Amino acid sequence: MNKDALMSFLSSLVVLAVGLLIGFVILLVSNASSAWEAFRTILTFGFRGIRNVGDVLLGATPIIMTGLSVAFAFKTGLFNIGATGQFAFGGLVAILVGHNFEGLPNGLRIILALLAATAAGAAWGAIPGLLKAFRNVHEVISCIMTNYIGMFLVTFLVDRYAFNPAIGRSQALPEGSNLPTLGFQYIFREEFLPGFYRSSQVNVGILIAIFTAILMYIILEKTTFGYELKACGFNKDAAKYAGINQNRSIVASMMIAGGLAGLGGALLYTSGTETMSAANVLLPYGFTGISVAFLGLSNPIGIIFSGTLVSYLFLGGARTQVLGFSIEVVEIVISVIIYFCAFVFLVKTFLGKHIGRLLRRGKSPEQDRADKGGESA
């Protein structure tokens, strides 16, 4: 393991440990008698049975996608804080396709829903991209605006075209519009009574998320297109001098980021576990994706693991309610843990600086100069 990889791994561990420690303090203040049991539940519940493991993977699917969305834009010098709007818009389009194309074969209808959701997310992401490229409007400002515009638009469309008044949410999708489980229901299941089993609803979505992460890694690290996008993020003036079309790269980056978030929305709402709220509420997945991207150090492969870890913590945190903790306290604890994950780059810089200084203390001046010369070369 090289020095940079080691620093990345250590920094992720440090921020996670600090977040967990502060979360434990909050549990102590809220209910000292059950704090340790609740903390232990957060850390271990995801591994208590194979069904829970499946639920962790199910919850990780949309989080991985929004993490990829934020990370892809960040790798190219942009901050896609609009993933939540792109996620909701993509999820809505998947719901509308699932309800209105029942004449198509099931497999084709699911593929169409995923592709349409990806295109919808890309179109929503193109708005801040175009404003950034041609009017120099900061993407954070325009993304915040598109988040709220998307929230109201999605609420309006759900209410008009897919509303179920009995539950105040969108109608459940027809069975043939949900993602196939590929036999996972037989792998991730537990016997709770003799002859009776409870299965996780994990489906092919987790495989799609993992494949997408690998594809994003290849695009960013192994292709000329990815190099051009990253070059614009590292130094736009140098990229322009090298003949790279900066405006095209900005728009393309935001469209890909939006498409990833839109696909994440589709994977959530075609899982058979969720319906879309008709209330004006910003979905949390896009904001969670920011911390997932930072915890994974914007590496698409790392985001597979950071997204799964965050889902693991969410599942254990939800379980602490049976120990007498209110949902508000649980959400505060998990939010604190996730919030500290956003400091991973700061911690990495700090560790790299101080550990490097400690290592140089044991070297002779000649060795130190030789190492520095090798690093600069």
Side-chain angles (χ1 to χ4, degrees), residues 7-20 22 74 79 287-298 335-352:
M7 290 300 100
S8 299
F9 179 72
L10 288 177
S11 58
S12 296
L13 286 182
V14 168
V15 296
L16 184 61
V18 172
L20 287 169
I22 295 177
F74 193 75
F79 189 15
F287 301 118
T288 303
I290 296 173
S291 294
V292 167
F294 287 170
L295 185 60
L297 293 165
S298 294
S335 297
V336 165
I337 296 170
I338 301 305
Y339 176 79
F340 271 89
C341 293
F343 289 95
V344 67
F345 287 106
L346 180 63
V347 173
K348 181 182 177 182
T349 302
F350 177 84
L351 290 178

Side-chain angles (χ1 to χ4, degrees), residues 37-113:
E37 181 62 25
F39 189 67
R40 192 168 68 88
T41 298
I42 292 174
L43 294 181
T44 63
F45 185 72
F47 284 139
R48 296 180 189 174
I50 191 66
R51 179 171 177 260
N52 289 352
V53 174
D55 288 344
V56 168
L57 297 177
L58 176 66
T61 301
I63 298 174
I64 290 173
M65 295 306 303
T66 53
L68 288 173
S69 175
V70 175
F72 190 92
F74 193 75
K75 278 281 192 179
T76 59
L78 300 168
F79 189 15
N80 181 29
I81 200 173
T84 187
Q86 300 147 12
F87 181 94
F89 204 58
L92 171 71
V93 169
I95 289 172
L96 294 179
V97 170
H99 280 299
N100 293 286
F101 288 84
E102 294 188 62
L104 293 177
N106 292 346
L108 183 59
R109 192 191 323 158
I110 293 170
I111 293 173
L112 178 61

Side-chain angles (χ1 to χ4, degrees), residues 143-224:
C143 281
I144 291 172
M145 295 298 100
T146 54
N147 276 343
Y148 281 95
I149 294 170
M151 177 186 70
F152 290 118
L153 179 60
V154 166
T155 300
F156 169 76
L157 293 174
V158 167
D159 185 63
R160 189 177 183 92
Y161 296 108
F163 186 63
N164 182 352
I167 59 175
R169 302 176 66 90
S170 66
Q171 301 173 20
L173 287 177
E175 187 63 31
S177 295
N178 290 322
L179 293 168
T181 59
L182 296 184
F184 288 156
Q185 72 272 26
Y186 300 112
I187 299 174
F188 298 100
R189 71 173 185 173
E190 294 175 342
E191 187 176 24
F192 69 100
L193 288 175
F196 293 92
Y197 294 87
R198 291 184 296 187
S199 298
S200 171
Q201 292 181 279
V202 62
N203 53 58
V204 72
I206 185 61
L207 300 182
I208 295 174
I210 293 172
F211 172 79
T212 304
I214 295 172
L215 179 62
M216 290 302 104
Y217 176 81
I218 293 173
I219 289 175
L220 284 170
E221 304 297 335
K222 306 297 182 182
T223 68
T224 302

